[in-house]
Amino acid sequence: MLNVGQLNEGVVLDHIKAGKSMTIYHDLKLDKLDCCVAIIKNARSAKMGRKDIIKVECPIDTLNLDILGFIDHNITVNIIKDGKIVEKKELHLPKEIKNVIRCKNPRCITSVEQELDQIFFLADPAKEVYRCKYCEEKYRGSRNK
Ligand SMILES: [Zn+2]
């Protein structure tokens, strides 16, 4: 049983691949949020050997959890209310990703106009292919960066 600790309202992200918690911390923009965050690294896991866990105390709506589906859809998202797990969310590939990955095409408008949002859309759900919304360049980075 997962120890929710002092969390009253928020999310616990469980089964994060060991070592990936800081990437997720930044991708979820937790550094910009004014809320309490606890990161547990290299926790023992029967299923995975080692894993990372992130606990965030905040109103649930403030987090963009869609992005987690892009990073790693094996992460378990536990929604906490009144100190209890009220929901386990399943992650799916998001239809659109905003300002997480960058287009590498040097002729893309986002390379010229730096203030534009970096938007990618899910072009092929079966192959998990994302393309830039502006120039349709395929995203070639690995999702598990
Ligand atoms: Zn582009």
Side-chain angles (χ1 to χ4, degrees):
M1 186 59 201
L2 190 68
N3 179 15
V4 173
Q6 301 296 312
L7 222 58
N8 203 21
E9 183 182 4
V11 290
V12 175
L13 308 176
D14 197 7
H15 302 118
I16 298 169
K17 249 196 215 161
K20 295 290 171 200
S21 53
M22 287 315 287
T23 307
I24 289 167
Y25 177 83
H26 288 291
D27 285 347
L28 282 180
K29 302 188 180 11
L30 293 175
D31 51 332
K32 304 213 170 58
L33 287 180
D34 185 22
C35 58
C36 183
V37 180
I39 294 177
I40 297 147
K41 289 173 77 175
N42 292 320
R44 271 173 233 283
S45 161
K47 206 159 83 179
M48 305 167 67
R50 296 280 173 175
K51 64 178 180 181
D52 289 359
I53 302 167
I54 302 180
K55 301 181 184 185
V56 189
E57 176 139 44
C58 66
I60 286 139
D61 303 336
T62 52
L63 289 182
N64 175 11
L65 294 172
D66 285 350
I67 210 67
L68 285 176
F70 172 71
I71 299 164
D72 182 354
H73 47 92
N74 295 313
I75 295 170
T76 309
V77 180
N78 301 282
I79 310 285
I80 313 296
K81 267 194 179 147
D82 301 322
K84 291 194 201 79
I85 297 173
V86 292
E87 195 191 335
K88 282 187 188 273
K89 253 176 118 83
E90 275 198 40
L91 293 173
H92 303 283
L93 285 174
K95 293 210 164 54
E96 196 177 275
I97 305 168
K98 205 167 150 186
N99 295 330
V100 175
I101 49 179
R102 298 187 72 86
C103 183
K104 300 222 165 70
N105 176 4
R107 289 181 304 275
C108 180
I109 182 142
T110 60
S111 299
V112 184
E113 314 233 344
Q114 298 284 335
E115 69 283 358
L116 273 178
D117 282 329
Q118 298 272 339
I119 301 171
F120 281 74
F121 66 93
L122 182 58
D124 185 343
K127 295 204 177 103
E128 304 188 2
V129 171
Y130 283 87
R131 287 183 185 279
C132 174
K133 191 185 161 187
Y134 305 96
C135 69
E136 304 217 336
E137 174 95 343
K138 192 171 161 182
Y139 179 66
R140 293 176 198 285
S142 97
R143 291 194 312 122
N144 269 316
K145 353 173 215 178

